[in-house]
Amino acid sequence: MERGPQRQPDEVASPALFAPEVGERGGGGLAVGRASWLSGGGARVAVALVWSLLLFIAFKPGLMSADSFTMLTEGLRGEYSDWHSPFVAFLLGKTFWLVGSPWPILCVQLLGLSLGGAALLRDASGRRGLWALVLLSVFLVLPSTWAIGVTLWKDVLNGVALLWCVLLRVRGRTRWALVFLVAATLTRHNALIASVALAPWVVAGFAWVRERWGRRVMASIALVLVLAVLPGLVERAASVRRGWIGGSLFIFDAAGLYVRVPEAMDASPLFSLGWNWDRTTPAKLFDPRNVAPMLWGDPAQGSVSNAQLRAAKEPLTREWLRLVRTYPGAYLAHRLEVFAGTLGVGGTLAPYHPYLDANEYGLKLRTHTALYRAWVALRDRWPEPFFRGGVWMLAALGLVGVGWRQRKHDGGRVFWVAASGVLYGLSYLPLSVSSEFRFFFWTVVSVFAASALWLVPSASENASTVRRGGV
């Protein structure tokens, strides 16, 4: 008997992101019905919706930091700077303009995380369905997910967009996966790194690309180039005000190297730029966990304004290049120290933003409610290791290994998703100027997404199960 054409991994689109599932067969009765419901998609969707509703009620309109309010103000005024994503600022501004509050963004973040996670586990049934319910529940109950997820940050929107890119790619809706990949790339300056890692897997969702290896390579390169160019085109279209965000990295690295190698200051041009700097200033201002004292501190102590930074673009760039070339070992040691702090290795850590900052927009939290106090108590008493990026980087690395071993069986989907989380976290090795757990939010989400894809069999695994006579 001839066999029909066998499915390739993730090749066939499913008709719906959520669909009823069939539980394990067995005798009738209430116990079997409960087990079937718990192992099916209904329980997972219910958990996702209840979780979203409770958090929305407790934290509406969403926690916001100074960065959040800066983007909101830019979006309302239609005047954007290159310090933040004009795409996210536009979303915040237009949402506030429409309803007088950014709460719809909070709603999108919560439902995007919860329903995206539930949909990713849609095909799990029977015993795997019960494990899928456990996995989703753990993902949602961990404050490393929701304590960041209730904050209106570009990091969260980035994680949501990438999660839905993964979901739509798994469901065979590759064109929509591309749309969400583009949206994710526009959320942060370094979001491109996470998108690049997913690009080869996403383009492989097109049958004509998958037919030949050369096509896959060329399509991946073309997509990466588009993703790399697109943020600049958006900034140009939005008439973004240039503030030279790269200058924060250069001055941060320069001060760090001066502290590490004092003789490097002998040939420095930074002390003749009219800043309030002498040879003692770098040691007073430099904090390996935060660039804020150098840029938003006390000018009398040597803090440099954005205008001064931009005016010094050429000499500061040349000085950074000189320091890196002359003291490569010290530069590497400096970056490793900063990255260790970003990972949460040693020292104290500010793992999440606990407030809705004072603001001119009349936005307030209802902090007196029992629901709010219960969530905050859970967050504040949670073990600190869950709020350290290094823990999630190790988990993602482990899943990279798992995905590599089974790449021939699932089309590499576990590998590419976990690798995206790892590479995104690693991008902070050369780029980080502060230590915040939110930088690893996509890494956290990628650990869940890769685990879900590991748990739920791919299309090829389901086909082989049917051919063997399984359910």
Side-chain angles (χ1 to χ4, degrees), residues 250-331:
F250 287 175
I251 193 173
F252 180 76
D253 284 348
L257 285 170
Y258 293 154
V259 172
R260 192 171 291 273
V261 189
E263 59 268 26
M265 289 186 279
D266 294 341
S268 173
L270 303 187
F271 299 97
S272 58
L273 293 176
W275 300 351
N276 187 23
W277 273 39
D278 57 35
R279 293 176 67 93
T280 66
T281 303
K284 290 188 296 184
L285 292 180
F286 179 71
D287 179 351
R289 293 176 179 267
N290 202 336
V291 73
M294 305 187 68
L295 299 182
W296 300 286
D298 184 0
Q301 298 297 317
S303 177
V304 180
S305 68
N306 290 335
Q308 289 175 311
L309 200 63
R310 182 170 173 78
K313 184 173 183 178
E314 183 178 349
L316 180 54
T317 302
R318 283 191 282 104
E319 174 63 359
W320 185 85
L321 291 172
R322 180 188 75 86
L323 291 170
V324 172
R325 292 168 180 169
T326 308
Y327 308 100
Y331 170 74

Side-chain angles (χ1 to χ4, degrees), residues 14-31:
S14 298
L17 295 178
F18 299 94
E21 301 172 44
V22 179
E24 291 182 309
R25 298 177 180 176
L30 184 59

Side-chain angles (χ1 to χ4, degrees), residues 81-94:
S81 72
D82 63 353
W83 280 85
H84 301 288
S85 161
F87 175 66
V88 176
F90 175 85
L91 292 179
L92 283 169
K94 295 308 177 186

Side-chain angles (χ1 to χ4, degrees), residues 78-82 86 231-242:
E79 300 174 355
Y80 306 99
S81 72
D82 63 353
L233 295 178
V234 171
E235 289 185 355
R236 182 171 298 180
S239 301
V240 166
R241 183 175 68 257
R242 298 295 174 184

Side-chain angles (χ1 to χ4, degrees), residues 25 41 54 58 61 67 102 106-107 111 134 141 144 167 200 202-203 211 228 234 246 266 281 304 341 345 353 363 450:
R25 298 177 180 176
L54 292 178
D67 281 353
L106 175 65
C107 189
L111 289 175
V134 171
V141 79
S144 46
L167 169 63
V202 171
V203 298
E211 289 174 355
V234 171
D266 294 341
T281 303
V304 180
V345 178
H353 184 75
L363 299 175

